[in-house]
Amino acid sequence: MSTTVTDSGADGGTGLSRRRFAVLAGVGVAAAALPGTAARAAPAVRPAYLGTYTSQPGGGTGIGLAAYRPGSGRLTPTGVLGGVANPSFLALSPDGRTLFAVDERAEGAVTAVRVGRGAPEVLGSRGTGGADPCHLSVHPGGRFLFSANYTGGSVCVHPVGRDGTLGEASDVLQHKGSGPDPERQEGPHAHMVVMDPAGRYVLAVDLGTDTVHTYRLDTGSGRLQERSRAALRPGAGPRHLAFHPSGTQAYIVNELDSTVVVCDYDRRTGALTPGIPQPALPPGTELPERNYPAGVLVSPDGRYLYVSNRGHDSLAVFAVECGGAALRPVSVTPSGGSYPRHIALDPSGTLLFAANQKSGTVTTFRVDRATGRLSSAGAPLKAPIPVCVLPG
């Protein structure tokens, strides 16, 4: 596999060359104080990675590389890592040393990239046993990589070596069934796969069958055994799921009926019990012809939930109440672009990034930790078909 790191030059005004950014991002240094002055630690520069489609007109040529300062949230481009086809979703290992990307194409694959020190380096790719993987996540201990094959309607497990390299798939499980929407639910479409906060069960969200599957992972063999299934309202089209920090609730965003569902979660058995759906936008909001919710996030303190709305082109904020069991609409903020597909919080939970697919922009928002509300952090970053943003 060919690997190319393209240098974008200075990062749009911060004065960091590609090489300088790699050093700063790799070791997290702060500027040293001048002799005879009080020490003032400058905000550390942190990396960010951008997913795109390389096969679409106007798309990127690989994984986008960027940097941001936690104080301002300003994103600046630093280069592109080539050699990865359609890296539409990205995830970092728990130690931050390995970046994983889906290769969303007919012969689906996942790719591992070494990051953190110097220029990123592609470590290799492995097939996922299905078509068009669109999501992946990493085992809390870093030992396994889980991926969801959208068109293939299956989930895949790969063992991960200590150096971040991927082994051959240890399991591929095929979903079955369909839903009432003939265009989007003609068959199974696995859209997300993630481990629960306790690291005991793996949950797979299937948009095509309106189902969430719960699997138990055998850490010795890397194989999955199904334990239960949760049924969503027919035609809901569940897309993504986010856990409350307590691990007793999970929140599902439904793409096809534009709703959010609070679910009770049994940490002992892995059973998920969906509640009553509520609109992904507050009542009274003027809606476009169709709205397709995409991303869902819970704040680190568990007090707020964030949902991206494609069509309405906004970010909805909900207060999490009753110990996680209820949602109350707080605000709706324009996403600063068109079709916000993916959203992500920085490690501190004080910045929220939104990848606006159709406008080719990534916007940054400051998060008011007291109210949950969002405010713009400045001009957006231009990027080719950004469909995933991953702050380091």
Side-chain angles (χ1 to χ4, degrees), residues 349-364:
T350 60
L351 296 172
L352 185 146
F353 300 91
N356 296 294
Q357 179 177 353
K358 291 187 177 181
S359 60
T361 55
V362 180
T363 46
T364 309

Side-chain angles (χ1 to χ4, degrees), residues 125-155:
S125 301
R126 296 286 189 179
T128 59
D132 300 313
C134 63
H135 184 272
L136 46 71
S137 61
V138 190
H139 180 275
R143 297 179 55 192
F144 297 96
L145 181 71
F146 311 105
S147 54
N149 294 307
Y150 179 80
T151 303
S154 59
V155 295

Side-chain angles (χ1 to χ4, degrees), residues 25 63 68 102 113 123 127 139 153 162 178 198 204 247 289 298 314 318 343 386:
I63 299 172
Y68 72 97
V102 299
V113 181
L123 300 175
H139 180 275
R162 292 185 177 181
S178 60
E289 182 177 353
V298 181
S314 64
F318 296 84
I343 52 177

Side-chain angles (χ1 to χ4, degrees), residues 34 48 62 79 98 110 113 118 156 158 180-181 184 233 282-283 294 296 319 334 378 384 392:
L34 295 174
T98 310
V110 286
V113 181
C156 180
H158 286 88
D181 187 322
R184 298 294 307 280
R233 185 167 65 184
V296 58

Side-chain angles (χ1 to χ4, degrees), residues 50-60 87-88 341 355-362 382-388:
L50 307 178
T52 185
Y53 285 108
T54 60
S55 62
Q56 294 185 10
S88 63
R341 173 162 164 160
N356 296 294
Q357 179 177 353
K358 291 187 177 181
S359 60
T361 55
V362 180
K382 296 287 188 181
I385 310 184
V387 291
C388 182

